[in-house]
Amino acid sequence: MKKIIGIIIALVVVFVGFFTVVPEEDRDHINPFIPKEVIYVQIYEDPAPHGQGYKYTLTGYTEDGEEKEITFTAGKVLKEKAILKVNAKGSFVEKWEEVQPEELPEKVRGKMDSVPSN
């Protein structure tokens, strides 16, 4: 019985340590319960310098039009009003790419500056 309690305590310590030490972005990347999603953002503010690149924290929209805040980095300053398609899994950003306004889902079009809704 003491052995089982010792194992449970050790697992709890490892689990708590993991969530204390590992950054949220890395935890989201390996967590199988967090779904991948596409978020569309428009560059409308200056980035913050971040290491060798720039960090953006923007409000964007999922394909269903749900509002989400996303943070990602870029190696250069992105052009103002550019529209990006960001593939994310929680706070982990897998990749981003610039898209044209006509590539936006219908539920997102009217929510972006300078993108007419049909």
Side-chain angles (χ1 to χ4, degrees):
M1 186 67 162
K2 287 183 181 181
K3 207 176 214 181
I4 293 174
I5 292 174
I7 291 171
I8 291 172
I9 290 172
L11 288 174
V12 168
V13 168
V14 168
F15 187 72
V16 169
F18 176 78
F19 280 97
T20 304
V21 175
V22 177
E24 180 182 15
E25 183 177 309
D26 293 334
R27 290 192 313 255
D28 288 353
H29 182 117
I30 62 174
N31 188 339
F33 300 108
I34 296 178
K36 292 181 180 180
E37 62 186 342
V38 174
I39 301 170
Y40 294 91
V41 297
Q42 188 167 28
I43 306 300
Y44 55 85
E45 60 185 48
D46 293 330
H50 183 75
Q52 298 291 326
Y54 299 91
K55 185 176 188 177
Y56 289 88
T57 299
L58 302 168
T59 300
Y61 302 93
T62 66
E63 293 175 319
D64 296 327
E66 181 185 337
E67 190 174 289
K68 294 261 182 160
E69 184 175 89
I70 188 90
T71 299
F72 63 96
T73 58
K76 61 181 182 176
V77 175
L78 302 173
K79 67 182 179 181
E80 186 152 346
K81 297 209 179 198
I83 299 171
L84 304 179
K85 176 182 177 181
V86 180
N87 293 341
K89 186 175 181 217
S91 61
F92 174 74
V93 173
E94 292 180 338
K95 70 176 185 171
W96 58 263
E97 63 182 313
E98 187 171 351
V99 295
Q100 299 303 313
E102 53 272 4
E103 296 176 63
L104 291 172
E106 196 61 42
K107 293 181 179 179
V108 176
R109 284 181 193 236
K111 297 182 180 203
M112 299 279 185
D113 284 350
S114 74
V115 179
S117 58
N118 292 341

